[in-house]
Amino acid sequence: MRVFVTGATGWVGSAVVDELIGHGHQVTGLSRSKEKAQALAARGAEVLHGTLDDLDVLRSAASAADAVIHTAFNHDFSKFAENAAQDARAIETLGEALSGSSRPLIVTSGVALLAPGRVATEADVPERGPNYPRQSEATARALAERGVRAATVRLAPSVHGEGDHGFIPILIGIARDKGLSAYVGEGLNRWPGVHRFDAARLYRLALEQGATEAAYHAIADEGVPFREIAAVIGRGLGVPVESRGPEHFGWFADFAAADMPASSAHTKAVLGWTPTGPDLLADIDQPGYYAAR
């Protein structure tokens, strides 16, 4: 298939591009960086220069594609509502370009706020409103109601692997700065995880099988106790591991205290997806996570 991928130079998107090309698909990747575009082209993708605000560019690329995978999102938490609105406009534009066809659109969201305190499943539907600011899945579901073949891949909060620059490196940075790897309370709140390459394979399988589900879960570890994550980080940095109040984590407090386990049983059953990468604790025990950056 000819697949248009947004966020093609990003942490998840670049792995999706490699997975697709490795299985015979032709990829056009959106890139706003000329430097990263060179690496994208070297991997065999056609480069399309632009941003999520270039709606005409998105519309044209989606119209020319057999399928679209949308992984781009601006994760600047200081303007999260603005970024969520930008994301929704981009998804709406991509969906309009695919309207009236059976060409799939796969968008990206997460499980962090889906079902706090219990194991979230693919059958759960995210809330709409101020308590759930990211609108990716809600926009995709609205498109599906209008006949667009739209689906959502929900990522684990930790998509880990070599080169990770997500939540785990944030925790490592906090622990390094404070000389202490902390957890909140007893540290029994749970974080799911998935290796980056396993997540990329899930996108490809969902695409090749027609994106027939409303939501897929890219979850390998259903719920790792945060205390165990803190213990590995403490060992990696050679610092103590202790309980602290949420304020220890600053702006990251809500994430550090969140209990957000999730299952991928249905996804595994419908796609035949079996994660093969290292689990979260084994992966973040690697020296590369603790090298100076």
Side-chain angles (χ1 to χ4, degrees):
M1 286 186 279
R2 296 168 298 167
V3 187
F4 175 45
V5 179
T6 70
T9 62
W11 173 242
V12 173
S14 59
V16 171
V17 168
D18 289 344
E19 176 74 17
L20 292 172
I21 291 175
H23 286 80
H25 300 289
Q26 298 175 339
V27 174
T28 297
L30 185 71
S31 175
R32 63 181 179 180
S33 163
K34 291 184 178 180
E35 180 182 349
K36 291 183 177 181
Q38 293 177 350
L40 181 61
R43 297 206 307 274
E46 179 181 344
V47 177
L48 181 64
H49 294 279
T51 72
L52 292 184
D53 290 322
D54 297 322
L55 300 184
D56 288 342
V57 172
L58 299 182
R59 187 177 295 107
S60 177
S63 296
D66 297 319
V68 176
I69 296 179
H70 175 59
T71 68
F73 189 84
N74 185 340
H75 287 91
D76 180 353
F77 290 100
S78 68
K79 52 179 184 178
F80 197 81
E82 178 183 333
N83 296 336
Q86 177 194 52
D87 178 56
R89 286 192 299 270
I91 293 172
E92 179 71 26
T93 299
L94 295 168
E96 288 175 354
L98 300 174
S99 182
S101 75
S102 60
R103 294 173 294 157
L105 166 64
I106 299 177
V107 310
T108 305
S109 188
V111 300
L113 298 177
L114 189 60
R118 65 172 176 82
V119 177
T121 73
E122 295 87 344
D124 285 306
V125 178
E127 296 179 8
R128 298 192 185 192
N131 293 330
Y132 207 97
R134 186 164 178 174
Q135 304 169 46
S136 314
E137 182 168 350
T139 307
R141 285 178 177 268
L143 288 168
E145 291 172 0
R146 286 153 38 195
V148 177
R149 182 170 289 186
T152 301
V153 171
R154 298 171 180 161
L155 294 173
S158 177
V159 181
H160 53 87
E162 184 178 358
D164 186 353
H165 52 267
F167 282 2
I168 294 297
I170 289 172
L171 289 171
I172 291 171
I174 294 171
R176 180 181 281 118
D177 290 344
K178 300 201 171 187
L180 171 72
S181 181
Y183 52 88
V184 177
E186 295 182 2
L188 299 180
N189 58 301
R190 297 156 291 179
W191 272 28
V194 67
H195 192 276
R196 175 177 173 239
F197 295 153
D198 285 327
R201 190 167 71 258
L202 188 153
Y203 279 93
R204 176 181 61 82
L205 291 172
L207 181 76
E208 292 176 344
Q209 297 183 33
T212 57
E213 303 295 308
Y216 300 93
H217 277 191
I219 304 294
D221 289 297
E222 183 172 290
V224 180
F226 193 89
R227 183 171 182 163
E228 296 182 16
I229 296 171
V232 175
I233 292 173
R235 183 166 63 246
L237 292 175
V239 299
V241 180
E242 299 177 9
S243 176
R244 287 292 186 272
E247 65 279 359
H248 174 88
F249 295 92
W251 70 271
F252 199 70
D254 288 345
F255 293 105
D259 185 38
M260 45 189 170
S263 167
S264 57
H266 183 70
T267 296
K268 292 173 180 175
V270 297
L271 292 183
W273 176 68
T274 302
T276 60
D279 63 35
L280 176 59
L281 294 179
D283 208 15
I284 68 174
D285 205 18
Q286 301 303 310
Y289 264 92
Y290 305 94
R293 298 189 181 185

